Structures are given as structure tokens and as C-alpha cells.
Amino acid sequence: MLEYLWIVPLLPLLGAAVNGLFGAKWPNKIVNGVAIGSTGLSFLCALKAVREFFESGQVLFHKEFLTWIAAGNFRVGFDLLMDQLTVVMVLVVTGVGWLIHIYATGYMAQEGGYYRFFSYLNLFMFFMLILVLAANYVLLFVGWEGVGLSSYLLIGFYFLRKSASDAGKKAFIVNRIGDFGFMLGMFLLFRAFHTLDFQAIFTSSTLQGWPVELSGHPGTLTFACLLIFTGACGKSAQLPLYVWLPDAMEGPTPVSALIHAATMVTAGVYVVARSHILFAHAPTAMLVVAIVGCATAFFAATIGLVQTDIKKVLAYSTVSQLGYMFLACGVGAFSAGIFHLMTHAFFKALLFLAAGSVIHAVGGEQDMNRMGGLSKKIRWTYLAMLTATLAIAGFPPFAGFFSKDSILLSAFQNGGHSAGYALYGFGLATALLTSFYMFRLIFLTFHGKQRYDEHKVHVHESPRTMLVPLMILAVLSIIGGWLAAPAMLGTGPDYFTKFLQPVFGGSEAAGPEGEVRALELTLAGIAVITALIGVTVAFWLYLKGPGKADILAKSMRGVYTALLNKYYVDEFYAAMIVKPLLWISTNVLWKAADVAGIDGAVNGIAAGTTAIGDGVRHTQSGNTRSYAVWVVVGALVVMAVIFFWPFGGKPVLGMLR
């Protein structure tokens, strides 16, 4: 299967093409068969390829399938790569993606454009697989842009709704800003290494032995890494390019689960991790990654405290958790970042799918203030969402506890004394906020008194096609982090870090093993106590005394209003960037340059030519006397030229003599 690795991304592409071309005429069952069958076969092929990879004993599989671009010594091919990092990403994309496809057959059953939705969803999986399997930056960029296109199509799926079409355009435009930086980063890498192949760059003699910068290219590597990180900020919704992701909740809930929780938004983290050798040689870029990730995690968590739309809470939670992953990468704990990427794919996909089940149960309502008391009526959905909430809050033995603990430990150890302590402090504060707003979601949605009209809203549990994926993801959200449990308990190694060691190198933890374990247990205990504080405060505000939350909001009206309005960032961007650009586009580029300048010149020449032609046309009157007059006038002009027109300082007649 390794020799035919291209089949893994090809199958979803075929599913997208078949449903896109013929699905309009087919019943939903056939569309389901094509969509689920193509992604399911892709998952099975990925499993077979992974098995063959391990059986072969290879550390890295690299296959050149065909040449795409050739110019002199420069070559870009359809080259695919598999290593331990690719294994994690491919299994997450195909496995979680397949479960979400199954869920979507139940969630989208009554929606129009059914075939179109699954065609877009399959197309997204194709581009995401190209992104994670690519062996060079150019092919990776094809997948990178492809998932951006697919995201635009899926976010704006309900295109007749203005909010959805605007959200799709916003996501597309904001991502183009980051992608421009990504392209500049690739250009700098090509200038320095004369290739864009991963292995050629990472093993280049130019790179080896230069801990900070490249010889002869001062600043090149740092700037290249920062530009690549700019692209990652756009795709993975980090400050200041995060604004598209909360609006992307306008898309169907399965889209939120697949693209904006489990796969696409983690592409930026994957690219930074894939480029870890470059970042390791650019410590300034690493520090920027850590600071931006930490700031984003805390910033987004504060906004999530007061949101009332259930999907918006999860959207800001996603932004915050992505910040955690970048924090890990920034302090050099790439394995911890990828570990959290994997566990996050399980529990955040589960949270979004469970939220979709809640929305399905209450007839499309998304405002948590209009829910309440649902735990007894949709028990399976409640258990699934509670499991995911315990995981994201960091309670043992759930998956999020182990991955988040790894990040906080790495920040404390590797961040560099005071900087590391600051990063750890903000990371711990973010964990507190996460526990609070996630249990606020649980209490408002499933507990307390009923706040909906039961005569209008007939609450019902979701069908099996939606519940089975929830249960599978719930199990993964519990056991997904156990690979790191032996290291914490002192009974064995951290199997996940050991698994990724061929990619990221030796142990990322400093200090003797016993000291590390003692420190990890201490920090883990502090993190659990912090999460318990968050749960307790949420319980006290929203269950013990429901009116206390309103009293607190009124006493802190300024802060509450700022958080509710998301710090007015969208308004700031509109005032400082969007409106000035629109004014310049309208008044300078359109009215002045285009209409008055270009159109005016073209239309003026046309009008002048028309006027001259019209005047000359009147000389052809058919009147003999008129023609005689023109002959006389012409003769006079010729004589004037001959006798009086100066040419070379003398009249023409003088030159003839």
C-alpha cells in the first residue's frame, strides 16, 4: 500500500467528483454510500499503509510519483511522505473525518443541497490529506489553499443566508492574508536552499552548524519562519487573524466539527511542527510562536466566558486550544503540541457533534439561555458532551488531562526562566477559564430549570447515525491520552513522545527522570485543583444561585460588555482597515483611476475621433460649388507651404532653387 499511497487522498476526490456530477439525480442513500464509502475506504487504506510502514522498519518513507514542475535544477513533484508525524495526522483526518461523515448523514438528512454538501466535504478531505502527506512545501501549499477553498464552500453552504455568505467570504479573505505571508516564507526558503523539498532543506549542509542564522543570509531563516507562522496564524486562527473562525459557525455543525475543530485549523500547527528543524535554528521565531500562542489561548478563553450561542462558545474554545498547541511548539515541545492536537481532535469534534445533537433536539435553537434541563431528555447526548467537557477541562483520566499537562510542564521547564514561568502562569489561567466556561455550557444547557416552551419545542434524542459517532469519540476522549500515563505514574515511558522521537529527536524534558516526574505530578495536581475551582465557580453562579451570574455581570458591566462584544475587535478592524479600504477602492481606484482616468481617456479618445469623423463627413456634400471651394483652399495651402513655410531655415521655394 505504501507504493500506492496516492490512493489514500484519491478516494475522497473520486467521492467528491461522483457526488458533485451525478448526486443531484440520486436519492440520499446513494449519496451516502459514495461519501461514506470513499472516506471509509480511504481510512482503511491509511491503516494498511501505516501497518506496512511499521512492518518495513523504516523511519521515513519518501516516494516520487511524478514530476509536476521542472525548471533547470528546480523540481517539484507529486511526492508523498510518511513518517510518525504523518501517521498521526493521516489517521486523525481519515478516522475522525469518516465518523463525522456518518454523523452528517443524520444531521443533514432534511437539508437541501444534500449531494453538494457531501461533495464539498469529500473535497475537503482530499485537500487535507494532500497537505499532510506532501513531501515538499509547494505540494503542501496546494493542499493548504485547497482546504481554504473547501472551507469557504462549506461555511457558506447556506448561501441564501447573508450571514453565512459573509462568513464564508470573511474566512476566505482573512486566510489569504496569512497565505501571502506563507508564500513569502517559501520564497525566502527557496532563495536560501534552492529547493522546497522537506528532506533536502532539513538535511542541508547550509543549515547544519548554524544555530541562529544562515551563513551569508543574515535574518533569512528567522524571517522565513515568521512568515510561515503568519500563514499558520491565518489557518489556525491565532492573533490577530483569528476573527474568521467564530463567524464560521454559520456553516452546518458537521462542518464545524470536521474543519474547525479536528483538521483544517490544526494545519498551521502541523506546518510549524513539520518545520521544527527550521524553527529550532531560529530562537526568535520560536519565542514569537510561544508568546502568540499563549496570548491567543488566554484572550479567546476570556471571550468564551460570556457567550450565549453554544457553537460560539466552542468556537472560542477552539481558538484557545490551538493557542495551547502553538505554546507547546514555541517552547520546543513539538511532541506535546501534536499530542494535544490529537486529543483535541477527539474531544472537540465530540463537543461540536454533541452540540449539533442538542440543536437538533431543540429544533434549531443555539442560545443556551433558551435551553436548560435537557439532561433527562437526551441522556446519550448529555453523557457524550459531559465526557468531552471533562476532557477539555483537564480532569484525569480523560485525554485532555495528559496532553494539557505535557504542555504546561514543557512551558514551565523550557520557556526560559521568567519567560517560562509567565507562559506557564497564563497557560494555567487559561485552564481555569476553560473549566469555567465549559461547565457553564453544561449547566446552562443540561441542568437547572427548563427555559424553553415544551409545547413548541419537542425535545428528542438524535438518531443512531448521529449517536454512534458520539459514543466512539467519547471513548477516544477518555483513553486517547493514556499513552502518556505510564511516564507520569513512573511505570514506563511516554509512549507518544517515544513514538514521535524519530521525527522530533530526543527527549524534550530537561532534568533527571525522577525530578521531572515529581515536578510533573506537582504541576498536574495544581492544574486539577485549578480546574476544580473553575467548576466550583460555574456551579455556584449558574446552579446554586442562578441570579448570581446576572448580579456579577451588572457589577462588572464594563468588563462584561467588552467580553460580550469580543473586545470590539471586529469593529476596530472595520473602522481601521475595512472601511478605509472600501473608501479608497470606491473613490480612488474606481471613481478616480478607473472611471475618470482609464474610462475617461478611452471614452474621450472615442468621442474626439467621432467628432472629427462627423466634421469630415460633412465635406462630402455632393455640391459642385462646395468641392470647387475646397480645391481652391487646397491650392492656397500648397502655395503657402511652397513660398512661406520654413524648412531648414529657408522657405521650401528657396531650397528648390
Side-chain angles (χ1 to χ4, degrees):
M1 189 65 220
L2 275 177
E3 295 296 324
Y4 302 96
L5 192 57
W6 50 269
I7 293 177
V8 176
L10 178 66
L11 287 167
L13 178 63
L14 291 176
V18 170
N19 271 336
L21 293 173
F22 309 109
K25 299 178 181 179
W26 289 345
N28 287 1
K29 288 184 178 180
I30 298 180
V31 173
N32 292 346
V34 172
I36 295 175
S38 61
T39 52
L41 286 173
S42 179
F43 179 48
L44 292 176
C45 290
L47 287 173
K48 184 172 175 57
V50 169
R51 190 192 70 182
E52 291 183 9
F53 173 71
F54 289 124
E55 288 178 349
S56 68
Q58 300 180 76
V59 176
L60 173 71
F61 173 81
H62 182 280
K63 179 73 173 179
E64 298 178 359
F65 288 100
L66 56 91
T67 297
W68 175 24
I69 302 172
N73 294 326
F74 178 66
R75 176 191 175 276
V76 174
F78 184 77
D79 303 344
L80 301 184
L81 173 150
M82 178 167 281
D83 60 6
Q84 285 76 6
L85 177 58
T86 310
V87 167
V88 174
M89 296 301 299
V90 167
L91 292 182
V92 167
V93 172
T94 56
V96 176
W98 183 50
L99 291 175
I100 293 172
H101 273 73
I102 295 172
Y103 174 95
T105 60
Y107 189 88
M108 300 294 292
Q110 307 302 320
E111 298 288 346
Y114 190 81
Y115 77 96
R116 181 167 53 89
F117 174 81
F118 280 100
S119 178
Y120 294 163
L121 216 58
N122 279 185
L123 185 65
F124 166 80
M125 280 195 62
F126 161 71
F127 282 121
M128 190 68 199
L129 286 169
I130 290 293
L131 191 157
V132 300
L133 287 168
N136 56 70
Y137 281 105
V138 179
L139 186 60
L140 182 148
F141 193 69
V142 172
W144 186 272
E145 290 297 282
V147 294
L149 169 64
S150 303
S151 176
Y152 165 75
L153 295 172
L154 286 164
I155 294 169
F157 178 75
Y158 301 119
F159 56 86
L160 295 178
R161 197 164 65 200
K162 186 177 185 301
S163 58
S165 61
D166 286 348
K169 288 183 285 188
K170 184 176 183 179
F172 194 81
I173 293 169
V174 172
N175 272 274
R176 296 295 73 71
I177 297 171
D179 295 350
F180 180 68
F182 192 100
M183 285 191 291
L184 292 178
M186 288 197 300
F187 295 155
L188 280 179
L189 290 178
F190 177 72
R191 177 177 178 269
F193 298 100
H194 309 292
T195 181
L196 289 171
D197 183 83
F198 292 150
Q199 294 309 304
I201 292 176
F202 301 156
T203 60
S204 169
S205 59
T206 310
L207 182 63
Q208 305 307 318
W210 294 96
V212 179
E213 298 295 351
L214 291 174
S215 175
H217 299 281
T220 296
L221 195 57
T222 295
F223 282 118
C225 289
L226 289 174
L227 288 168
I228 289 173
F229 179 59
T230 301
C233 285
K235 200 68 70 185
S236 295
Q238 298 294 286
L239 290 170
L241 301 178
Y242 74 95
V243 290
W244 66 271
L245 194 144
D247 289 8
M249 297 303 109
E250 291 290 339
T253 300
V255 173
S256 302
L258 179 63
I259 295 183
H260 307 121
T263 53
M264 175 186 143
V265 292
T266 60
V269 181
Y270 167 76
V271 166
V272 172
R274 174 60 71 192
S275 308
H276 68 280
I277 295 177
L278 299 179
F279 280 87
H281 285 75
T284 301
M286 290 276 284
L287 180 61
V288 171
V289 172
I291 292 173
V292 170
C294 187
T296 303
F298 183 78
F299 177 84
T302 59
I303 298 177
L305 295 174
V306 300
Q307 301 303 307
T308 57
D309 186 312
I310 190 170
K311 288 179 66 177
K312 285 289 180 70
V313 174
L314 298 180
Y316 283 105
S317 171
T318 299
V319 176
S320 181
Q321 296 302 307
L322 289 166
Y324 262 119
M325 299 174 206
F326 280 112
L327 170 60
C329 293
V331 297
F334 296 100
S335 294
I338 297 300
F339 190 25
H340 196 58
L341 183 156
M342 181 187 74
T343 60
H344 178 264
F346 299 150
F347 61 69
K348 185 51 67 63
L350 177 57
L351 283 169
F352 270 112
L353 295 185
S357 186
V358 170
I359 295 167
H360 178 270
V362 295
E365 181 61 63
Q366 294 184 199
D367 189 343
M368 295 184 296
N369 289 325
R370 297 179 182 176
M371 297 180 186
L374 294 175
S375 61
K376 296 180 181 179
K377 299 191 176 183
I378 47 174
R379 289 183 179 275
W380 290 108
T381 298
Y382 169 65
L383 290 174
M385 182 161 270
L386 180 61
T387 300
T389 300
L390 290 167
I392 194 174
F395 286 102
F398 297 89
F401 165 75
F402 297 100
S403 58
K404 189 177 291 186
D405 173 71
S406 298
I407 293 174
L408 292 176
L409 173 65
S410 300
F412 190 88
Q413 286 181 310
N414 304 341
H417 302 296
S418 59
Y421 299 147
L423 293 172
Y424 169 78
F426 277 101
L428 190 64
T430 302
L432 171 66
L433 299 179
T434 302
S435 177
F436 173 81
Y437 68 66
M438 286 307 306
F439 275 94
R440 170 180 176 266
L441 182 152
I442 290 291
F443 295 147
L444 285 176
T445 304
F446 295 100
H447 295 278
K449 65 179 181 180
Q450 178 180 306
R451 295 185 299 278
Y452 57 88
D453 188 348
E454 199 165 8
H455 297 291
K456 295 181 180 179
V457 179
H458 303 287
V459 179
H460 57 284
E461 188 60 275
S462 299
R464 288 185 180 179
T465 52
M466 296 170 66
L467 289 179
V468 171
L470 291 184
M471 295 303 107
I472 296 173
L473 287 169
V475 172
L476 292 173
S477 297
I478 296 172
I479 68 173
W482 291 0
L483 292 169
M488 178 178 290
L489 299 175
T491 59
D494 182 335
Y495 289 105
F496 192 84
T497 300
K498 185 177 180 181
F499 174 73
L500 290 176
Q501 190 170 337
V503 179
F504 298 126
S507 174
E508 294 162 347
E513 185 180 346
E515 293 181 12
V516 171
R517 188 179 302 123
L519 177 62
E520 184 171 11
L521 288 172
T522 302
L523 296 181
I526 293 173
V528 172
I529 293 171
T530 301
L532 283 171
I533 293 172
V535 176
T536 303
V537 174
F539 176 82
W540 183 73
L541 288 176
Y542 294 98
L543 281 188
K544 192 69 174 177
K548 293 178 181 177
D550 295 332
I551 295 172
L552 181 63
K554 290 178 181 178
S555 65
M556 303 176 66
R557 183 178 297 276
V559 175
Y560 178 81
T561 303
L563 294 178
L564 189 63
N565 290 281
K566 298 156 285 190
Y567 293 108
Y568 300 97
V569 173
D570 283 311
E571 290 78 2
F572 174 78
Y573 283 173
M576 301 302 295
I577 299 174
V578 178
K579 289 182 179 178
L581 283 176
L582 287 175
W583 187 89
I584 292 171
S585 298
T586 302
N587 295 285
V588 179
L589 299 178
W590 174 34
K591 293 183 179 179
D594 193 4
V595 176
I598 298 173
D599 288 355
V602 172
N603 294 336
I605 292 171
T609 303
T610 301
I612 293 170
D614 186 65
V616 173
R617 177 175 63 82
H618 289 294
T619 63
Q620 302 298 319
S621 62
N623 189 311
T624 304
R625 287 180 296 179
S626 176
Y627 292 160
V629 171
W630 284 113
V631 169
V632 172
V633 171
L636 291 174
V637 170
V638 170
M639 291 176 66
V641 169
I642 292 174
F643 287 101
F644 303 107
W645 190 269
F647 189 84
K650 297 181 180 180
V652 174
L653 182 61
M655 293 182 64
L656 292 176
R657 290 175 179 173

